[in-house]
Amino acid sequence: TEVKRDVLGVTAERVISAECAEQMAAGVRRLLKSDWALSTTGVAGPERQEDQPVGTVFVGVAGPDGVRSVRLELGDLEGERTAIRGAACRAALEELIGELR
């Protein structure tokens, strides 16, 4: 959370939110001076966070035309944090591929 705020300039009150994902992606794009940036923020478990269930993830996509986010509800994936993180990364890449098409 500190890195999100201190390095990327996130001001969102809730870390697990669309607003946070969008601010993170915009911050990465600005910091790295890149054309595109992705971010993920969510609950990989084992417990709820910010009243959000395990498997709730927000993906941020920042590009030349603006910033948007997508909410994912991946479920608990049998309590496997690594599986949730992997699914979130795949979803982020799929969102970028969709934008590039």
Side-chain angles (χ1 to χ4, degrees), residues 1-6 10 15 49-50:
T1 299
E2 290 176 7
V3 170
K4 291 174 183 177
R5 292 193 174 132
D6 295 346
V10 171
V15 175
Q49 185 178 347
E50 292 184 357

Side-chain angles (χ1 to χ4, degrees), residues 18-19 21-27 29 37 60-69:
E19 182 181 18
E22 291 172 9
Q23 289 179 3
M24 286 172 59
R29 186 169 184 255
V61 181
D65 296 327
V67 184
R68 68 179 183 81
S69 60

Side-chain angles (χ1 to χ4, degrees), residues 18 21-23 25-26 36-39 58-63 65-71 91-92 94-100:
E22 291 172 9
Q23 289 179 3
W36 292 93
L38 300 171
S39 69
F58 292 89
V59 173
V61 181
D65 296 327
V67 184
R68 68 179 183 81
S69 60
V70 175
R71 179 186 177 116
E94 289 171 8
E95 290 298 324
L96 178 60
I97 290 167
E99 289 287 336
L100 295 174

Side-chain angles (χ1 to χ4, degrees), residues 15-74:
V15 175
I16 314 303
S17 67
E19 182 181 18
C20 181
E22 291 172 9
Q23 289 179 3
M24 286 172 59
V28 168
R29 186 169 184 255
R30 184 175 51 254
L31 184 67
L32 300 179
K33 296 177 176 58
S34 61
D35 292 333
W36 292 93
L38 300 171
S39 69
T40 61
T41 185
V43 186
E47 298 173 0
R48 296 174 71 91
Q49 185 178 347
E50 292 184 357
D51 202 32
Q52 297 287 344
V54 173
T56 302
V57 175
F58 292 89
V59 173
V61 181
D65 296 327
V67 184
R68 68 179 183 81
S69 60
V70 175
R71 179 186 177 116
L72 307 173
E73 301 205 18
L74 302 173

